[in-house]
Amino acid sequence: MFQIGSYCRGVSCVVISLLITGALSSMTYAQEVQEVTFTKDVAPILQRSCQMCHRTGSIAPMSLLTYEETRPWARSIKEKVASRTMPPWYIDKNIGVQEFKEDKSLSDDEISTIVHWVDNGASRGNPSDMPPPIEFEQMNEWHIGTPDWIVTIPEPFVVAAEAPDWWGNLESESGLTEDRWVKAVETKPSAESFQVVHHAVTGVVNDETDADSFLGSFLNEYALGKNGDIFPDGHGREIKAGSKIRFNMHYHSIGREITDRTAVGLTFYPRGVEPKRKLISAHVGDNEDLDIPAGESNVRHDGYYQLKENAHITAFQPHLHNLGKRQCVEAILPDNTTQMLNCADWDFGWHIVYNYADVAAPLLPKGTNLHVISWHDNSEGNRWNDDPRNWRGFGQRSSDDMSFSWVSWYELNDEDFEAEVATREAATDNND
């Protein structure tokens, strides 16, 4: 056996020892890196966070179900995940609440795994290490079960084979002749149109106030990979008799003509049953006095919304248009202390709702002001900006802009609020 002591003395022995130790460490590191394979390490990550979109017949431009499909895209995948462009999840991981439902973002370790895999040749690995393929649900299946009531867009919408993206509102009568409480809701495109519907957001229009708003009273959102909303027992949303359903649609051509008939499905509480709590979703912090000079890349706007009752916040979703860059929401508590809820970068291609995990959802006392801070980018560096030479302001068009957040919550009386706060504090103490 090779023994260092037999061939060196004093300082020279230390130097040789360090060199050999370093070489061995490098060899060990290289071996570990080389052991990162598609079948054992990368495929499980793609299954969890990528394949819902990246499969045949879905919205993404290529499938990533197999090694043969994935390997040609290895360098592009590395670039997208290292920059956190993909999978789309834009919550700032250094600010605010970090526990969410259905969080498909990648951890630092998962990103490192993919980067190492690509940098070291993107090897297949042992076929026996490949996890079983995911059994995807049918694209046109209702995830909430068979709805009690279905409302479709007013007429079939034909998406041409070659056309610019289309954004706009379509409105249908609900057909309801009595007030009903909703227990579950889901918005989805028709069977053949999932590839052309980028998103569909539905709202209820009951009166003139709703009619003048962007969407009415928020109901539900479809984006690829999002299931329906099934509310906890005792929670629901009310739809009034004679109301209308507004569909905010984003269509994207894919090279062949496709006809869409997006619908929203509703499951009701039994007649006469009124849930204990109403789930509220509203756009908060609206600022319509937008001043976005030509060429400016970091224009800030602020808006505020006061909570009249104690609130358990369930979800946060930024809403900006083409010039949007970033949005934060902080809570200004009644004692004037502040609590940053979240910040998220913005990409107009993805309207993502961030649903808080129950154990981390913000609990805010009545009188709290929600402070919405938005930044807009009217420069050439914004890929969504069609004309950075012109001033922009507020408006309904995508080429105009907006500044507010969709926030969802339910209200609590003082006793229930104090009980939830006590439960949260006890859980925190037990985890320390």
Side-chain angles (χ1 to χ4, degrees):
M1 178 178 291
F2 179 76
Q3 294 183 356
I4 297 175
S6 301
Y7 295 90
C8 64
R9 295 289 187 272
V11 174
S12 62
C13 180
V14 174
V15 171
I16 294 173
S17 176
L18 289 173
L19 289 172
I20 293 175
T21 301
L24 290 174
S25 297
S26 297
M27 290 172 60
T28 302
Y29 175 76
Q31 290 171 349
E32 290 176 351
V33 168
Q34 290 172 0
E35 290 175 359
V36 176
T37 66
F38 178 83
T39 55
K40 183 178 67 175
D41 305 292
V42 175
I45 299 173
L46 300 183
Q47 286 187 346
R48 184 182 74 84
S49 296
C50 308
Q51 291 181 359
M52 177 60 73
C53 295
H54 287 274
R55 56 188 170 111
T56 302
S58 193
I59 194 172
M62 70 284 201
S63 175
L64 301 178
L65 299 184
T66 67
Y67 176 76
E68 289 76 14
E69 292 172 330
T70 306
R71 179 61 181 84
W73 300 98
R75 291 190 180 279
S76 177
I77 292 169
K78 171 189 169 182
E79 176 189 349
K80 295 295 185 182
V81 301
S83 64
R84 292 197 177 273
T85 305
M86 286 287 161
W89 184 268
Y90 303 117
I91 285 287
D92 189 319
K93 290 184 173 291
N94 298 305
I95 298 175
V97 180
Q98 295 299 315
E99 296 180 69
F100 297 90
K101 299 175 182 177
E102 300 179 357
D103 181 352
K104 299 295 185 182
S105 64
L106 302 188
S107 68
D108 291 342
D109 286 344
E110 288 172 325
I111 293 173
S112 178
T113 294
I114 292 175
V115 169
H116 287 326
W117 175 65
V118 175
D119 286 347
N120 288 272
S123 63
R124 179 197 299 269
N126 189 335
S128 65
D129 290 334
M130 188 72 177
I134 295 176
E135 295 184 8
F136 293 102
E137 297 174 323
Q138 295 297 315
M139 298 291 285
N140 63 341
E141 181 178 341
W142 289 102
H143 299 94
I144 61 172
T146 303
D148 297 323
W149 200 260
I150 298 174
V151 181
T152 63
I153 58 176
E155 299 290 341
F157 191 100
V158 178
V159 182
E162 301 290 341
D165 281 19
W166 186 93
W167 294 270
N169 288 335
L170 305 173
E171 201 166 277
S172 297
E173 298 289 343
S174 69
L176 292 175
T177 58
E178 58 182 325
D179 299 350
R180 295 300 301 266
W181 283 91
V182 177
K183 181 171 178 54
V185 56
E186 181 176 356
T187 304
K188 71 178 185 66
S190 49
E192 299 300 321
S193 58
F194 284 87
Q195 296 177 76
V196 297
V197 178
H198 185 278
H199 73 257
V201 189
T202 51
V204 180
V205 180
N206 284 319
D207 53 32
E208 291 183 2
T209 301
D210 286 341
D212 290 340
S213 73
F214 156 69
L215 189 63
S217 297
F218 178 78
L219 188 59
N220 181 248
E221 178 190 39
Y222 162 80
L224 196 68
K226 183 182 184 333
N227 297 333
D229 294 322
I230 300 175
F231 306 142
D233 287 339
H235 298 73
R237 291 198 180 108
E238 187 178 24
I239 301 183
K240 297 286 188 181
S243 61
K244 297 179 180 180
I245 303 296
R246 184 172 290 168
F247 296 81
N248 177 256
M249 304 296 302
H250 174 186
Y251 290 110
H252 176 78
S253 296
I254 62 167
R256 59 188 177 91
E257 182 179 290
I258 292 182
T259 300
D260 174 56
R261 199 73 191 269
T262 288
V264 60
L266 306 167
T267 299
F268 298 129
Y269 279 92
R271 286 181 173 84
V273 174
E274 182 174 331
K276 178 181 179 181
R277 296 192 178 101
K278 176 182 178 180
L279 284 174
I280 301 168
S281 292
H283 49 91
V284 306
D286 299 66
N287 186 339
E288 298 184 3
D289 186 21
L290 303 184
D291 180 4
I292 312 174
E296 295 292 327
S297 64
N298 206 37
V299 183
R300 173 173 168 164
H301 296 96
D302 297 75
Y304 300 87
Y305 181 95
Q306 188 174 65
L307 295 171
K308 297 178 176 59
E309 301 293 339
N310 305 313
H312 175 125
I313 308 296
T314 63
F316 154 63
Q317 178 180 342
H319 187 85
L320 304 159
H321 282 188
N322 284 344
L323 303 185
K325 182 175 183 178
R326 182 175 171 87
Q327 188 174 95
C328 297
V329 176
E330 72 170 354
I332 304 174
L333 303 176
D335 62 2
N336 285 326
T337 60
T338 61
Q339 175 186 344
M340 183 60 73
L341 304 188
N342 281 105
C343 291
D345 292 333
W346 175 255
D347 185 319
F348 190 67
W350 299 95
H351 291 234
I352 300 173
V353 56
Y354 301 101
N355 294 290
Y356 293 111
D358 295 337
V359 296
L363 299 173
L364 303 176
K366 67 181 70 173
T368 295
N369 272 298
L370 296 178
H371 178 200
V372 178
I373 312 161
S374 301
W375 288 266
H376 293 88
D377 181 357
N378 195 11
S379 73
E380 293 181 352
N382 179 356
R383 69 187 180 98
W384 293 102
N385 191 358
D386 59 354
D387 188 358
R389 300 169 300 173
N390 285 331
W391 174 92
R392 303 293 179 88
F394 172 84
Q396 299 292 332
R397 302 175 302 173
S398 296
S399 56
D400 302 317
D401 229 286
M402 290 188 175
S403 174
F404 68 82
S405 293
W406 285 110
V407 177
S408 299
W409 70 90
Y410 59 81
E411 295 178 344
L412 295 161
N413 61 33
D414 291 343
E415 181 180 355
D416 289 344
F417 180 74
E418 290 171 3
E420 282 209 22
V421 170
T423 299
R424 180 75 57 82
E425 290 176 345
T428 302
D429 292 340
N430 290 335
N431 290 331
D432 290 342

